[in-house]
Structure formats: C-alpha cells, structure tokens
mmCIF file of all heavy atoms in Angstrom:
data_model
loop_
_atom_site.group_PDB
_atom_site.id
_atom_site.type_symbol
_atom_site.label_atom_id
_atom_site.label_comp_id
_atom_site.label_asym_id
_atom_site.label_seq_id
_atom_site.Cartn_x
_atom_site.Cartn_y
_atom_site.Cartn_z
ATOM 1 N N GLU A 1473 8.695 15.795 1.304
ATOM 2 C CA GLU A 1473 9.381 14.521 1.420
ATOM 3 C C GLU A 1473 9.471 14.110 2.890
ATOM 4 O O GLU A 1473 9.732 14.939 3.767
ATOM 5 C CB GLU A 1473 10.788 14.620 0.830
ATOM 6 C CG GLU A 1473 10.811 14.776 -0.674
ATOM 7 C CD GLU A 1473 10.350 13.517 -1.396
ATOM 8 O OE1 GLU A 1473 10.518 12.416 -0.838
ATOM 9 O OE2 GLU A 1473 9.797 13.644 -2.506
ATOM 10 N N PRO A 1474 9.239 12.825 3.177
ATOM 11 C CA PRO A 1474 9.353 12.367 4.568
ATOM 12 C C PRO A 1474 10.784 12.530 5.085
ATOM 13 O O PRO A 1474 11.747 12.345 4.334
ATOM 14 C CB PRO A 1474 8.952 10.891 4.485
ATOM 15 C CG PRO A 1474 9.143 10.509 3.056
ATOM 16 C CD PRO A 1474 8.876 11.733 2.255
ATOM 17 N N VAL A 1475 10.900 12.876 6.362
ATOM 18 C CA VAL A 1475 12.239 13.043 6.943
ATOM 19 C C VAL A 1475 12.935 11.681 6.979
ATOM 20 O O VAL A 1475 12.317 10.657 7.275
ATOM 21 C CB VAL A 1475 12.153 13.631 8.359
ATOM 22 C CG1 VAL A 1475 11.533 15.018 8.321
ATOM 23 C CG2 VAL A 1475 11.354 12.713 9.285
ATOM 24 N N PRO A 1476 14.215 11.621 6.642
ATOM 25 C CA PRO A 1476 14.937 10.351 6.688
ATOM 26 C C PRO A 1476 15.131 9.886 8.135
ATOM 27 O O PRO A 1476 15.423 10.690 9.027
ATOM 28 C CB PRO A 1476 16.271 10.672 6.013
ATOM 29 C CG PRO A 1476 16.408 12.148 6.067
ATOM 30 C CD PRO A 1476 15.033 12.726 6.122
ATOM 31 N N THR A 1477 14.936 8.592 8.342
ATOM 32 C CA THR A 1477 15.062 8.031 9.690
ATOM 33 C C THR A 1477 16.008 6.844 9.744
ATOM 34 O O THR A 1477 16.258 6.306 10.828
ATOM 35 C CB THR A 1477 13.682 7.562 10.202
ATOM 36 O OG1 THR A 1477 13.209 6.491 9.369
ATOM 37 C CG2 THR A 1477 12.674 8.694 10.199
ATOM 38 N N GLY A 1478 16.502 6.407 8.593
ATOM 39 C CA GLY A 1478 17.304 5.195 8.565
ATOM 40 C C GLY A 1478 16.470 3.943 8.355
ATOM 41 O O GLY A 1478 17.013 2.863 8.093
ATOM 42 N N VAL A 1479 15.139 4.076 8.465
ATOM 43 C CA VAL A 1479 14.207 2.977 8.187
ATOM 44 C C VAL A 1479 13.610 3.233 6.804
ATOM 45 O O VAL A 1479 13.246 4.371 6.486
ATOM 46 C CB VAL A 1479 13.096 2.909 9.258
ATOM 47 C CG1 VAL A 1479 12.066 1.840 8.922
ATOM 48 C CG2 VAL A 1479 13.711 2.652 10.628
ATOM 49 N N PRO A 1480 13.495 2.207 5.963
ATOM 50 C CA PRO A 1480 13.017 2.441 4.595
ATOM 51 C C PRO A 1480 11.668 3.166 4.549
ATOM 52 O O PRO A 1480 10.726 2.812 5.265
ATOM 53 C CB PRO A 1480 12.909 1.032 4.012
ATOM 54 C CG PRO A 1480 13.911 0.232 4.765
ATOM 55 C CD PRO A 1480 13.893 0.793 6.161
ATOM 56 N N TYR A 1481 11.608 4.194 3.711
ATOM 57 C CA TYR A 1481 10.368 4.900 3.386
ATOM 58 C C TYR A 1481 10.410 5.103 1.869
ATOM 59 O O TYR A 1481 11.055 6.016 1.376
ATOM 60 C CB TYR A 1481 10.269 6.242 4.116
ATOM 61 C CG TYR A 1481 8.890 6.875 4.106
ATOM 62 C CD1 TYR A 1481 8.215 7.134 5.286
ATOM 63 C CD2 TYR A 1481 8.262 7.209 2.903
ATOM 64 C CE1 TYR A 1481 6.942 7.719 5.278
ATOM 65 C CE2 TYR A 1481 6.998 7.783 2.880
ATOM 66 C CZ TYR A 1481 6.347 8.039 4.080
ATOM 67 O OH TYR A 1481 5.098 8.603 4.058
ATOM 68 N N VAL A 1482 9.725 4.230 1.140
ATOM 69 C CA VAL A 1482 9.786 4.203 -0.315
ATOM 70 C C VAL A 1482 8.583 4.954 -0.875
ATOM 71 O O VAL A 1482 7.433 4.635 -0.536
ATOM 72 C CB VAL A 1482 9.805 2.752 -0.843
ATOM 73 C CG1 VAL A 1482 9.792 2.733 -2.372
ATOM 74 C CG2 VAL A 1482 11.020 2.015 -0.301
ATOM 75 N N VAL A 1483 8.845 5.945 -1.721
ATOM 76 C CA VAL A 1483 7.790 6.761 -2.323
ATOM 77 C C VAL A 1483 7.735 6.463 -3.820
ATOM 78 O O VAL A 1483 8.751 6.553 -4.518
ATOM 79 C CB VAL A 1483 8.050 8.257 -2.097
ATOM 80 C CG1 VAL A 1483 6.974 9.100 -2.780
ATOM 81 C CG2 VAL A 1483 8.107 8.570 -0.603
ATOM 82 N N LEU A 1484 6.551 6.115 -4.315
ATOM 83 C CA LEU A 1484 6.352 5.828 -5.728
ATOM 84 C C LEU A 1484 5.121 6.583 -6.230
ATOM 85 O O LEU A 1484 4.148 6.752 -5.489
ATOM 86 C CB LEU A 1484 6.134 4.326 -5.952
ATOM 87 C CG LEU A 1484 7.302 3.402 -5.596
ATOM 88 C CD1 LEU A 1484 6.853 1.946 -5.694
ATOM 89 C CD2 LEU A 1484 8.481 3.658 -6.506
ATOM 90 N N PRO A 1485 5.127 7.004 -7.513
ATOM 91 C CA PRO A 1485 3.943 7.689 -8.051
ATOM 92 C C PRO A 1485 2.812 6.736 -8.388
ATOM 93 O O PRO A 1485 1.628 7.103 -8.302
ATOM 94 C CB PRO A 1485 4.477 8.377 -9.308
ATOM 95 C CG PRO A 1485 5.645 7.547 -9.720
ATOM 96 C CD PRO A 1485 6.253 7.025 -8.463
ATOM 97 N N PHE A 1486 3.139 5.531 -8.796
ATOM 98 C CA PHE A 1486 2.120 4.588 -9.262
ATOM 99 C C PHE A 1486 2.736 3.196 -9.286
ATOM 100 O O PHE A 1486 3.947 3.062 -9.449
ATOM 101 C CB PHE A 1486 1.637 4.974 -10.669
ATOM 102 C CG PHE A 1486 0.468 4.171 -11.175
ATOM 103 C CD1 PHE A 1486 -0.815 4.448 -10.737
ATOM 104 C CD2 PHE A 1486 0.652 3.144 -12.078
ATOM 105 C CE1 PHE A 1486 -1.904 3.709 -11.189
ATOM 106 C CE2 PHE A 1486 -0.423 2.396 -12.544
ATOM 107 C CZ PHE A 1486 -1.705 2.692 -12.089
ATOM 108 N N VAL A 1487 1.927 2.169 -9.106
ATOM 109 C CA VAL A 1487 2.425 0.800 -9.222
ATOM 110 C C VAL A 1487 1.483 -0.009 -10.106
ATOM 111 O O VAL A 1487 0.255 0.149 -10.039
ATOM 112 C CB VAL A 1487 2.568 0.104 -7.854
ATOM 113 C CG1 VAL A 1487 3.695 0.699 -7.054
ATOM 114 C CG2 VAL A 1487 1.276 0.153 -7.056
ATOM 115 N N GLU A 1488 2.055 -0.848 -10.932
ATOM 116 C CA GLU A 1488 1.271 -1.760 -11.762
ATOM 117 C C GLU A 1488 0.957 -3.056 -11.010
ATOM 118 O O GLU A 1488 -0.111 -3.629 -11.191
ATOM 119 C CB GLU A 1488 2.042 -2.096 -13.044
ATOM 120 C CG GLU A 1488 2.323 -0.895 -13.941
ATOM 121 C CD GLU A 1488 1.111 -0.447 -14.723
ATOM 122 O OE1 GLU A 1488 0.061 -1.122 -14.653
ATOM 123 O OE2 GLU A 1488 1.204 0.589 -15.410
ATOM 124 N N ARG A 1489 1.903 -3.508 -10.182
ATOM 125 C CA ARG A 1489 1.782 -4.814 -9.531
ATOM 126 C C ARG A 1489 1.127 -4.662 -8.165
ATOM 127 O O ARG A 1489 1.766 -4.699 -7.127
ATOM 128 C CB ARG A 1489 3.162 -5.449 -9.407
ATOM 129 C CG ARG A 1489 3.797 -5.861 -10.728
ATOM 130 C CD ARG A 1489 3.071 -7.049 -11.355
ATOM 131 N NE ARG A 1489 3.000 -8.200 -10.477
ATOM 132 C CZ ARG A 1489 3.961 -9.128 -10.383
ATOM 133 N NH1 ARG A 1489 5.056 -9.020 -11.130
ATOM 134 N NH2 ARG A 1489 3.827 -10.160 -9.572
ATOM 135 N N MET A 1490 -0.209 -4.530 -8.173
ATOM 136 C CA MET A 1490 -0.918 -4.398 -6.913
ATOM 137 C C MET A 1490 -0.815 -5.665 -6.083
ATOM 138 O O MET A 1490 -0.914 -5.619 -4.847
ATOM 139 C CB MET A 1490 -2.388 -4.057 -7.181
ATOM 140 C CG MET A 1490 -3.137 -3.556 -5.956
ATOM 141 S SD MET A 1490 -2.427 -2.004 -5.349
ATOM 142 C CE MET A 1490 -3.241 -1.881 -3.746
ATOM 143 N N ASP A 1491 -0.589 -6.801 -6.704
ATOM 144 C CA ASP A 1491 -0.409 -8.029 -5.943
ATOM 145 C C ASP A 1491 0.826 -7.939 -5.053
ATOM 146 O O ASP A 1491 0.805 -8.371 -3.892
ATOM 147 C CB ASP A 1491 -0.326 -9.243 -6.875
ATOM 148 C CG ASP A 1491 0.795 -9.136 -7.886
ATOM 149 O OD1 ASP A 1491 1.117 -8.013 -8.331
ATOM 150 O OD2 ASP A 1491 1.359 -10.186 -8.259
ATOM 151 N N LEU A 1492 1.899 -7.344 -5.575
ATOM 152 C CA LEU A 1492 3.105 -7.188 -4.772
ATOM 153 C C LEU A 1492 2.908 -6.164 -3.660
ATOM 154 O O LEU A 1492 3.447 -6.320 -2.554
ATOM 155 C CB LEU A 1492 4.277 -6.779 -5.662
ATOM 156 C CG LEU A 1492 4.728 -7.800 -6.700
ATOM 157 C CD1 LEU A 1492 5.905 -7.264 -7.504
ATOM 158 C CD2 LEU A 1492 5.096 -9.132 -6.047
ATOM 159 N N VAL A 1493 2.132 -5.119 -3.927
ATOM 160 C CA VAL A 1493 1.820 -4.130 -2.885
ATOM 161 C C VAL A 1493 1.104 -4.809 -1.716
ATOM 162 O O VAL A 1493 1.466 -4.629 -0.543
ATOM 163 C CB VAL A 1493 0.958 -2.994 -3.462
ATOM 164 C CG1 VAL A 1493 0.449 -2.080 -2.344
ATOM 165 C CG2 VAL A 1493 1.749 -2.181 -4.478
ATOM 166 N N LEU A 1494 0.095 -5.599 -2.023
ATOM 167 C CA LEU A 1494 -0.673 -6.270 -0.979
ATOM 168 C C LEU A 1494 0.166 -7.315 -0.254
ATOM 169 O O LEU A 1494 0.044 -7.484 0.969
ATOM 170 C CB LEU A 1494 -1.914 -6.925 -1.596
ATOM 171 C CG LEU A 1494 -2.971 -5.948 -2.125
ATOM 172 C CD1 LEU A 1494 -3.931 -6.652 -3.078
ATOM 173 C CD2 LEU A 1494 -3.744 -5.314 -0.967
ATOM 174 N N ALA A 1495 1.026 -8.011 -0.984
ATOM 175 C CA ALA A 1495 1.871 -9.037 -0.356
ATOM 176 C C ALA A 1495 2.891 -8.404 0.583
ATOM 177 O O ALA A 1495 3.267 -9.001 1.599
ATOM 178 C CB ALA A 1495 2.574 -9.854 -1.427
ATOM 179 N N ALA A 1496 3.346 -7.197 0.255
ATOM 180 C CA ALA A 1496 4.344 -6.528 1.095
ATOM 181 C C ALA A 1496 3.751 -5.996 2.390
ATOM 182 O O ALA A 1496 4.466 -5.801 3.381
ATOM 183 C CB ALA A 1496 4.991 -5.380 0.326
ATOM 184 N N ALA A 1497 2.441 -5.774 2.422
ATOM 185 C CA ALA A 1497 1.811 -5.024 3.517
ATOM 186 C C ALA A 1497 1.524 -5.874 4.744
ATOM 187 O O ALA A 1497 1.054 -7.011 4.644
ATOM 188 C CB ALA A 1497 0.508 -4.404 3.022
ATOM 189 N N ASP A 1498 1.797 -5.295 5.913
ATOM 190 C CA ASP A 1498 1.218 -5.790 7.161
ATOM 191 C C ASP A 1498 -0.056 -5.024 7.484
ATOM 192 O O ASP A 1498 -0.970 -5.549 8.110
ATOM 193 C CB ASP A 1498 2.210 -5.631 8.314
ATOM 194 C CG ASP A 1498 3.392 -6.574 8.198
ATOM 195 O OD1 ASP A 1498 3.166 -7.777 8.012
ATOM 196 O OD2 ASP A 1498 4.540 -6.094 8.271
ATOM 197 N N LEU A 1499 -0.088 -3.762 7.056
ATOM 198 C CA LEU A 1499 -1.233 -2.885 7.288
ATOM 199 C C LEU A 1499 -1.301 -1.913 6.117
ATOM 200 O O LEU A 1499 -0.267 -1.462 5.617
ATOM 201 C CB LEU A 1499 -1.056 -2.109 8.602
ATOM 202 C CG LEU A 1499 -2.123 -1.058 8.949
ATOM 203 C CD1 LEU A 1499 -3.453 -1.725 9.273
ATOM 204 C CD2 LEU A 1499 -1.654 -0.202 10.138
ATOM 205 N N MET A 1500 -2.526 -1.593 5.698
ATOM 206 C CA MET A 1500 -2.702 -0.663 4.587
ATOM 207 C C MET A 1500 -3.525 0.538 5.033
ATOM 208 O O MET A 1500 -4.515 0.381 5.768
ATOM 209 C CB MET A 1500 -3.394 -1.354 3.408
ATOM 210 C CG MET A 1500 -3.666 -0.445 2.223
ATOM 211 S SD MET A 1500 -4.301 -1.339 0.784
ATOM 212 C CE MET A 1500 -2.805 -2.140 0.227
ATOM 213 N N VAL A 1501 -3.121 1.722 4.593
ATOM 214 C CA VAL A 1501 -3.924 2.940 4.730
ATOM 215 C C VAL A 1501 -4.377 3.331 3.333
ATOM 216 O O VAL A 1501 -3.548 3.465 2.418
ATOM 217 C CB VAL A 1501 -3.109 4.088 5.356
ATOM 218 C CG1 VAL A 1501 -3.860 5.403 5.221
ATOM 219 C CG2 VAL A 1501 -2.824 3.799 6.819
ATOM 220 N N CYS A 1502 -5.684 3.502 3.147
ATOM 221 C CA CYS A 1502 -6.193 3.804 1.804
ATOM 222 C C CYS A 1502 -7.577 4.420 1.890
ATOM 223 O O CYS A 1502 -8.216 4.423 2.942
ATOM 224 C CB CYS A 1502 -6.239 2.540 0.941
ATOM 225 S SG CYS A 1502 -7.214 1.181 1.630
ATOM 226 N N ARG A 1503 -8.024 4.976 0.770
ATOM 227 C CA ARG A 1503 -9.420 5.360 0.622
ATOM 228 C C ARG A 1503 -10.264 4.084 0.619
ATOM 229 O O ARG A 1503 -9.736 2.969 0.570
ATOM 230 C CB ARG A 1503 -9.622 6.135 -0.677
ATOM 231 C CG ARG A 1503 -8.950 7.511 -0.726
ATOM 232 C CD ARG A 1503 -9.488 8.440 0.333
ATOM 233 N NE ARG A 1503 -9.078 9.836 0.123
ATOM 234 C CZ ARG A 1503 -9.237 10.787 1.018
ATOM 235 N NH1 ARG A 1503 -9.806 10.497 2.189
ATOM 236 N NH2 ARG A 1503 -8.853 12.026 0.767
ATOM 237 N N SER A 1504 -11.577 4.243 0.632
ATOM 238 C CA SER A 1504 -12.438 3.062 0.654
ATOM 239 C C SER A 1504 -13.328 3.003 -0.573
ATOM 240 O O SER A 1504 -14.525 2.733 -0.491
ATOM 241 C CB SER A 1504 -13.271 2.999 1.933
ATOM 242 O OG SER A 1504 -13.917 4.222 2.207
ATOM 243 N N GLY A 1505 -12.707 3.261 -1.741
ATOM 244 C CA GLY A 1505 -13.366 2.889 -2.976
ATOM 245 C C GLY A 1505 -13.585 1.394 -2.994
ATOM 246 O O GLY A 1505 -12.903 0.632 -2.283
ATOM 247 N N ALA A 1506 -14.510 0.935 -3.796
ATOM 248 C CA ALA A 1506 -14.893 -0.476 -3.779
ATOM 249 C C ALA A 1506 -13.704 -1.395 -4.026
ATOM 250 O O ALA A 1506 -13.524 -2.399 -3.332
ATOM 251 C CB ALA A 1506 -15.983 -0.730 -4.812
ATOM 252 N N SER A 1507 -12.869 -1.068 -5.016
ATOM 253 C CA SER A 1507 -11.739 -1.934 -5.326
ATOM 254 C C SER A 1507 -10.762 -2.014 -4.162
ATOM 255 O O SER A 1507 -10.255 -3.099 -3.837
ATOM 256 C CB SER A 1507 -11.016 -1.446 -6.581
ATOM 257 O OG SER A 1507 -11.811 -1.637 -7.728
ATOM 258 N N SER A 1508 -10.482 -0.891 -3.527
ATOM 259 C CA SER A 1508 -9.560 -0.894 -2.389
ATOM 260 C C SER A 1508 -10.097 -1.757 -1.253
ATOM 261 O O SER A 1508 -9.360 -2.555 -0.661
ATOM 262 C CB SER A 1508 -9.326 0.540 -1.891
ATOM 263 O OG SER A 1508 -8.674 1.317 -2.870
ATOM 264 N N VAL A 1509 -11.378 -1.610 -0.936
ATOM 265 C CA VAL A 1509 -11.975 -2.385 0.152
ATOM 266 C C VAL A 1509 -11.943 -3.874 -0.161
ATOM 267 O O VAL A 1509 -11.512 -4.697 0.657
ATOM 268 C CB VAL A 1509 -13.415 -1.926 0.409
ATOM 269 C CG1 VAL A 1509 -14.121 -2.876 1.379
ATOM 270 C CG2 VAL A 1509 -13.439 -0.507 0.954
ATOM 271 N N VAL A 1510 -12.375 -4.233 -1.364
ATOM 272 C CA VAL A 1510 -12.500 -5.644 -1.701
ATOM 273 C C VAL A 1510 -11.138 -6.300 -1.866
ATOM 274 O O VAL A 1510 -10.917 -7.427 -1.407
ATOM 275 C CB VAL A 1510 -13.360 -5.819 -2.965
ATOM 276 C CG1 VAL A 1510 -13.328 -7.265 -3.461
ATOM 277 C CG2 VAL A 1510 -14.802 -5.402 -2.672
ATOM 278 N N GLU A 1511 -10.189 -5.618 -2.512
ATOM 279 C CA GLU A 1511 -8.868 -6.223 -2.700
ATOM 280 C C GLU A 1511 -8.158 -6.419 -1.368
ATOM 281 O O GLU A 1511 -7.519 -7.456 -1.147
ATOM 282 C CB GLU A 1511 -8.035 -5.372 -3.647
ATOM 283 C CG GLU A 1511 -8.516 -5.434 -5.081
ATOM 284 C CD GLU A 1511 -7.658 -4.662 -6.063
ATOM 285 O OE1 GLU A 1511 -6.747 -3.936 -5.613
ATOM 286 O OE2 GLU A 1511 -7.904 -4.780 -7.275
ATOM 287 N N ALA A 1512 -8.256 -5.449 -0.463
ATOM 288 C CA ALA A 1512 -7.640 -5.617 0.850
ATOM 289 C C ALA A 1512 -8.315 -6.746 1.626
ATOM 290 O O ALA A 1512 -7.641 -7.612 2.198
ATOM 291 C CB ALA A 1512 -7.710 -4.307 1.637
ATOM 292 N N ALA A 1513 -9.641 -6.740 1.643
ATOM 293 C CA ALA A 1513 -10.363 -7.762 2.407
ATOM 294 C C ALA A 1513 -10.133 -9.161 1.842
ATOM 295 O O ALA A 1513 -9.858 -10.112 2.578
ATOM 296 C CB ALA A 1513 -11.853 -7.441 2.435
ATOM 297 N N ALA A 1514 -10.230 -9.300 0.531
ATOM 298 C CA ALA A 1514 -10.101 -10.613 -0.086
ATOM 299 C C ALA A 1514 -8.744 -11.246 0.174
ATOM 300 O O ALA A 1514 -8.616 -12.472 0.258
ATOM 301 C CB ALA A 1514 -10.352 -10.514 -1.588
ATOM 302 N N THR A 1515 -7.714 -10.417 0.292
ATOM 303 C CA THR A 1515 -6.368 -10.937 0.518
ATOM 304 C C THR A 1515 -5.967 -10.908 1.981
ATOM 305 O O THR A 1515 -4.829 -11.232 2.327
ATOM 306 C CB THR A 1515 -5.343 -10.127 -0.308
ATOM 307 O OG1 THR A 1515 -5.487 -8.731 -0.024
ATOM 308 C CG2 THR A 1515 -5.569 -10.343 -1.798
ATOM 309 N N GLY A 1516 -6.893 -10.519 2.856
ATOM 310 C CA GLY A 1516 -6.630 -10.558 4.288
ATOM 311 C C GLY A 1516 -5.679 -9.486 4.781
ATOM 312 O O GLY A 1516 -4.972 -9.704 5.773
ATOM 313 N N VAL A 1517 -5.664 -8.325 4.125
ATOM 314 C CA VAL A 1517 -4.805 -7.228 4.562
ATOM 315 C C VAL A 1517 -5.597 -6.323 5.504
ATOM 316 O O VAL A 1517 -6.584 -5.706 5.084
ATOM 317 C CB VAL A 1517 -4.289 -6.407 3.365
ATOM 318 C CG1 VAL A 1517 -3.445 -5.226 3.854
ATOM 319 C CG2 VAL A 1517 -3.474 -7.282 2.426
ATOM 320 N N PRO A 1518 -5.208 -6.197 6.762
ATOM 321 C CA PRO A 1518 -5.879 -5.249 7.654
ATOM 322 C C PRO A 1518 -5.699 -3.832 7.125
ATOM 323 O O PRO A 1518 -4.670 -3.507 6.533
ATOM 324 C CB PRO A 1518 -5.144 -5.433 8.986
ATOM 325 C CG PRO A 1518 -4.462 -6.759 8.877
ATOM 326 C CD PRO A 1518 -4.120 -6.936 7.437
ATOM 327 N N ALA A 1519 -6.711 -3.000 7.337
ATOM 328 C CA ALA A 1519 -6.675 -1.679 6.718
ATOM 329 C C ALA A 1519 -7.193 -0.608 7.653
ATOM 330 O O ALA A 1519 -7.988 -0.870 8.569
ATOM 331 C CB ALA A 1519 -7.499 -1.675 5.430
ATOM 332 N N ILE A 1520 -6.714 0.603 7.396
ATOM 333 C CA ILE A 1520 -7.326 1.817 7.937
ATOM 334 C C ILE A 1520 -7.930 2.539 6.745
ATOM 335 O O ILE A 1520 -7.207 3.018 5.866
ATOM 336 C CB ILE A 1520 -6.297 2.715 8.645
ATOM 337 C CG1 ILE A 1520 -5.674 1.985 9.834
ATOM 338 C CG2 ILE A 1520 -6.967 4.011 9.114
ATOM 339 C CD1 ILE A 1520 -4.564 2.772 10.523
#
C-alpha cells in the first residue's frame, strides 16, 4: 500500500468508466497495448 501523505492516492482493482479515468487525468502511466495508446492519444491525454 502507498504510504499516506495527506494527498489523495486512490487505489481501485478495476474501473468500468474509462471515460471518467481519462477525464480525471493530467498524465497517464500505462502499458502500450493498442487500446491504451489510441484511447490516450485520441482524447489528448499525455502518457508515459
């Protein structure tokens, strides 16, 4: 578990609403499967 810092660190096993995940992001860290690359790029989310 991440050490508590007083800044939100939300851990989830899975999400259905990928649109909300992308909308929440300023930056995304992810694998580069085709869907991850295209969904991040198409919505203008900078990624690592």
Side-chain angles (χ1 to χ4, degrees):
E1473 291 291 332
V1475 297
T1477 64
V1479 176
Y1481 194 120
V1482 177
V1483 178
L1484 296 172
F1486 187 78
V1487 290
E1488 298 283 355
R1489 292 290 304 274
M1490 195 63 192
D1491 58 327
L1492 295 180
V1493 171
L1494 292 163
D1498 290 309
L1499 176 69
M1500 178 173 286
V1501 168
C1502 57
R1503 293 298 192 191
S1504 49
S1507 291
S1508 295
V1509 171
V1510 171
E1511 289 183 352
T1515 54
V1517 177
I1520 298 176

